[in-house]
Short mmCIF file of all heavy atoms in Angstrom, two decimals:
data_model
loop_
_atom_site.label_atom_id
_atom_site.label_comp_id
_atom_site.label_asym_id
_atom_site.label_seq_id
_atom_site.Cartn_x
_atom_site.Cartn_y
_atom_site.Cartn_z
N HIS A 196 -42.51 18.56 260.99
CA HIS A 196 -43.22 17.91 262.10
C HIS A 196 -43.92 16.65 261.60
O HIS A 196 -44.34 16.57 260.44
CB HIS A 196 -44.19 18.86 262.80
CG HIS A 196 -45.30 19.41 261.96
ND1 HIS A 196 -46.47 18.71 261.73
CD2 HIS A 196 -45.45 20.59 261.31
CE1 HIS A 196 -47.28 19.44 260.98
NE2 HIS A 196 -46.68 20.58 260.70
N ASP A 198 -46.55 15.15 263.44
CA ASP A 198 -47.95 15.07 263.87
C ASP A 198 -48.86 15.75 262.86
O ASP A 198 -48.41 16.54 262.02
CB ASP A 198 -48.12 15.70 265.27
CG ASP A 198 -47.74 17.18 265.31
OD1 ASP A 198 -46.78 17.57 264.61
OD2 ASP A 198 -48.42 17.96 266.02
N ILE A 227 -50.11 17.76 252.84
CA ILE A 227 -49.37 19.01 252.62
C ILE A 227 -48.90 19.62 253.93
O ILE A 227 -48.15 20.60 253.93
CB ILE A 227 -50.22 20.05 251.85
CG1 ILE A 227 -51.55 20.29 252.55
CG2 ILE A 227 -50.43 19.60 250.41
CD1 ILE A 227 -52.16 21.62 252.20
N ASP A 228 -49.33 19.05 255.05
CA ASP A 228 -48.99 19.63 256.36
C ASP A 228 -48.63 18.52 257.33
O ASP A 228 -49.45 18.12 258.12
CB ASP A 228 -50.15 20.48 256.87
CG ASP A 228 -49.82 21.21 258.16
OD1 ASP A 228 -48.64 21.23 258.56
OD2 ASP A 228 -50.75 21.73 258.79
N MET A 229 -47.39 18.01 257.31
CA MET A 229 -46.41 18.29 256.30
C MET A 229 -45.58 17.05 255.97
O MET A 229 -44.37 17.08 255.90
CB MET A 229 -45.50 19.46 256.74
CG MET A 229 -44.77 19.18 258.04
SD MET A 229 -43.60 20.51 258.54
CE MET A 229 -42.43 20.56 257.19
N GLU A 262 -46.20 19.82 266.77
CA GLU A 262 -46.25 21.16 266.18
C GLU A 262 -47.68 21.68 266.20
O GLU A 262 -47.91 22.88 266.33
CB GLU A 262 -45.72 21.13 264.74
CG GLU A 262 -45.44 22.51 264.15
CD GLU A 262 -46.66 23.19 263.54
OE1 GLU A 262 -47.66 22.51 263.23
OE2 GLU A 262 -46.63 24.42 263.39
N GLU A 263 -48.62 20.77 266.08
CA GLU A 263 -50.02 21.18 265.91
C GLU A 263 -50.73 21.54 267.21
O GLU A 263 -51.90 21.91 267.19
CB GLU A 263 -50.82 20.06 265.19
CG GLU A 263 -50.32 19.75 263.78
CD GLU A 263 -50.61 20.85 262.77
OE1 GLU A 263 -51.14 21.91 263.18
OE2 GLU A 263 -50.30 20.66 261.59
N GLU A 290 -41.77 24.31 256.95
CA GLU A 290 -43.00 24.80 256.35
C GLU A 290 -43.12 26.30 256.63
O GLU A 290 -42.33 26.81 257.42
CB GLU A 290 -44.19 24.02 256.93
CG GLU A 290 -44.27 24.14 258.43
CD GLU A 290 -45.50 23.48 259.05
OE1 GLU A 290 -46.37 22.99 258.35
OE2 GLU A 290 -45.56 23.49 260.27
N VAL A 291 -44.05 27.03 256.18
CA VAL A 291 -45.04 26.86 255.13
C VAL A 291 -44.68 27.85 254.03
O VAL A 291 -44.85 29.04 254.22
CB VAL A 291 -46.45 27.21 255.65
CG1 VAL A 291 -47.50 27.20 254.54
CG2 VAL A 291 -46.86 26.32 256.81
N GLY A 492 -48.56 30.00 262.88
CA GLY A 492 -47.24 29.74 263.46
C GLY A 492 -46.74 28.35 263.12
O GLY A 492 -47.51 27.46 262.78
N THR A 493 -45.41 28.17 263.18
CA THR A 493 -44.79 26.86 262.93
C THR A 493 -43.66 26.65 263.94
O THR A 493 -43.39 27.51 264.77
CB THR A 493 -44.17 26.79 261.51
OG1 THR A 493 -43.00 27.62 261.50
CG2 THR A 493 -45.14 27.25 260.44
N ASP A 494 -42.98 25.51 263.80
CA ASP A 494 -41.81 25.23 264.64
C ASP A 494 -40.73 26.30 264.52
O ASP A 494 -39.86 26.41 265.37
CB ASP A 494 -41.21 23.87 264.24
CG ASP A 494 -41.98 22.69 264.80
OD1 ASP A 494 -42.65 22.86 265.85
OD2 ASP A 494 -41.93 21.60 264.21
N PHE A 523 -55.07 23.11 254.02
CA PHE A 523 -54.39 23.07 255.33
C PHE A 523 -55.42 22.79 256.42
O PHE A 523 -56.36 23.56 256.61
CB PHE A 523 -53.66 24.39 255.62
CG PHE A 523 -52.31 24.44 254.97
CD1 PHE A 523 -52.16 24.89 253.67
CD2 PHE A 523 -51.19 23.98 255.65
CE1 PHE A 523 -50.92 24.91 253.06
CE2 PHE A 523 -49.94 23.99 255.04
CZ PHE A 523 -49.80 24.46 253.74
N HIS A 524 -55.25 21.69 257.09
CA HIS A 524 -56.19 21.24 258.14
C HIS A 524 -57.57 20.99 257.54
O HIS A 524 -58.55 20.90 258.27
CB HIS A 524 -56.29 22.25 259.29
CG HIS A 524 -54.97 22.49 260.00
ND1 HIS A 524 -54.86 23.23 261.14
CD2 HIS A 524 -53.71 22.07 259.72
CE1 HIS A 524 -53.59 23.28 261.53
NE2 HIS A 524 -52.89 22.58 260.67
ZN1 ZN B 856 -47.64 22.17 259.71
#
Side-chain angles (χ1 to χ4, degrees):
H196 62 83
D198 61 323
I227 55 157
D228 185 11
M229 59 176 299
E262 193 275 341
E263 298 289 4
E290 58 175 355
V291 173
T493 71
D494 282 334
F523 277 87
H524 299 187

